Amino acid sequence: MEDTVLVVNCGSSSLKLALFDCQHNKLASALAERLGQNDAFAHVGGLDKAIPLDPGASHDQALNTLVTVFQDEGLMASAPTAVGHRVVHGGETFREAALIDDDVITAIEDCAGLAPLHNPVNLSGIRATLARFPDVPQAAVFDTAFHQTLPKRAYLYAVPEAWYRDWGVRRYGFHGTSHAFMASEAASRLGKTPATISVISAHLGNGCSIAAIRDGISVDTSMGLTPLEGLVMGTRSGDVDPGLFDFLRGKGIAADEVHRVLNQESGLLGLSGQTNDMRSLCELADHGHEPSQTAIDVFCFRLARYIGAMMASLSHLDALVFTGGIGENSARIRAETIHHLKLMGFELSPDLNNHQGEFSDGRIESADSRFPVLVIPTNEELVIAREASRLAGALTPG
């Protein structure tokens, strides 16, 4: 059986696995959801059957179950050749992916305070695969690493310098693997090299962020110290006035409750009062549900405002790129966002925008648009697989 690389992505209550061959073609994928709950479940892509999980199954239990399915189905040998892990926060320690050892694990633990919902479960996936495959090279690929090129003017908050010096209070940025992939793909489609491409990359899903990429490196982004800052998201508020905490404390609401609501009950869900799913919001809005239309309006306006802000970090713009579940699939959101950017010269072709999946280059701008506008499906798993195989030195570069 040929060499494979396993990609592990642990969310707060979910686990995603992907298996790639030595040419970085995806062989299989698996998803476990509602981990830690009594109704935990899993399935493997391509298999027409549910994978049973014990009630309250943990990340490591789900991982071992799904890896066993990969092996039993003949998709993977007794062990992969390399394993790549998505790790949300690498702080200022990691500017690129790293082979996992005790020092790397300690550094990821040290960053847990910056991503308490993510780094601990990322570590659970790392520990589970290290226990199962102790002799296999494993790599940590950090969401924040791509943004470690931000200049000080972009990453510093205007707060006492000691907060940054002593506690690391600064803007870090996230979705780095997706934004890095967008820059590389846009360069290929526009006939440029990655080192000369300058794009604004909008990753829009349940989590949303935008990045200004100049000459292939990140120079600004919307997310900050945590993934809460920036754009309106599915359940996250994005930017709010910090004075909100004091205001709500005066209403008897504790800071931890405000933090929970801003992360879990705000964004599209909070504005609409119905759902965080953009497809459902559009359907509700079309049937006259005004709060859902308001949620769409706020989402698109805030996105357009951030696109305009990203222009300040670029000397030229080769393209605006949409990606992520919303960015790739919602022609309506793209059109309503671009509508706010006419003064900057952006203009879409309605036909191309509505049928972008039929065109291989992904371009959706009109002939009169000042800048190209592209839709490119993201592939964070592929980035992680490539990084893991590169660091392991075991697979053929793709």
Side-chain angles (χ1 to χ4, degrees), residues 118 174-175 203-210 221-224 226-240 261-272 275-278 281 295-296 298-300 302-303 306 326:
H118 298 91
F174 299 88
H175 295 137
H203 177 105
L204 309 176
N206 192 49
C208 301
S209 70
I210 192 167
T221 190
S222 56
M223 284 180 168
T226 74
L228 183 60
E229 185 180 350
L231 303 173
V232 173
M233 303 175 228
T235 63
R236 294 177 221 160
S237 63
D239 294 340
V240 295
V261 172
L262 291 180
N263 275 281
Q264 300 176 23
E265 297 180 7
S266 298
L268 296 174
L269 175 62
L271 286 167
S272 69
T275 179
N276 63 321
D277 184 85
M278 186 61 79
L281 280 176
I296 294 168
V298 173
F299 181 93
C300 293
R302 288 273 291 272
L303 173 58
Y306 257 102
I326 297 173

Side-chain angles (χ1 to χ4, degrees), residues 19-177:
L19 190 67
F20 291 82
D21 66 16
C22 63
Q23 300 298 323
H24 300 127
N25 300 304
K26 186 186 284 189
L27 301 173
S29 61
L31 172 66
E33 295 188 274
R34 298 177 183 172
L35 297 178
Q37 303 177 42
N38 289 332
D39 56 350
F41 68 94
H43 62 84
V44 174
L47 298 182
D48 189 21
K49 62 180 179 180
I51 309 300
L53 294 175
D54 293 335
S58 63
H59 286 79
D60 57 338
Q61 290 171 330
L63 186 145
N64 280 300
T65 297
L66 292 173
V67 167
T68 298
V69 172
F70 281 174
Q71 294 170 335
D72 291 346
E73 294 292 329
L75 299 169
M76 185 173 76
S78 58
T81 311
V83 180
H85 296 267
R86 180 200 179 201
V87 179
V88 167
H89 218 305
E92 291 188 304
T93 304
F94 298 100
R95 297 181 67 89
E96 59 183 4
L99 279 174
I100 294 172
D101 58 19
D102 290 343
D103 290 339
V104 169
I105 289 175
T106 298
I108 295 171
E109 290 174 334
D110 290 342
C111 293
L114 296 170
L117 299 179
H118 298 91
N119 276 33
V121 292
N122 298 156
L123 282 166
S124 71
I126 289 171
R127 292 190 173 105
T129 50
L130 286 172
R132 181 147 185 160
F133 308 119
D135 299 321
V136 174
Q138 305 201 26
V141 182
F142 299 90
D143 276 16
T144 51
F146 181 63
H147 300 299
Q148 280 297 297
T149 53
L150 264 62
K152 279 189 174 182
R153 63 177 179 267
Y155 74 69
L156 284 179
Y157 290 114
V159 296
E161 191 270 340
W163 292 9
Y164 168 61
R165 184 184 65 244
D166 298 339
W167 302 327
V169 174
R170 54 158 285 182
R171 304 181 66 252
Y172 290 96
F174 299 88
H175 295 137
T177 50

Side-chain angles (χ1 to χ4, degrees), residues 14 31 103 109 115 166 214 243 255 285 305 328 366 382:
S14 66
L31 172 66
D103 290 339
E109 290 174 334
D166 298 339
R214 186 177 67 216
R305 193 166 66 184
E328 295 167 28
S366 73
L382 176 60

Side-chain angles (χ1 to χ4, degrees), residues 270-336:
L271 286 167
S272 69
Q274 296 290 317
T275 179
N276 63 321
D277 184 85
M278 186 61 79
R279 293 164 298 187
S280 299
L281 280 176
C282 290
E283 292 175 3
L284 287 165
D286 288 342
H287 286 87
H289 188 253
E290 187 175 344
S292 293
Q293 183 60 58
T294 298
I296 294 168
D297 291 343
V298 173
F299 181 93
C300 293
F301 176 72
R302 288 273 291 272
L303 173 58
R305 193 166 66 184
Y306 257 102
I307 291 170
M310 291 296 123
M311 299 282 277
S313 292
L314 301 176
S315 57
H316 72 281
L317 180 64
D318 293 311
L320 167 63
V321 183
F322 288 97
T323 192
I326 297 173
E328 295 167 28
N329 297 305
S330 181
R332 177 177 184 165
I333 296 304
R334 296 192 298 264
E336 292 192 23

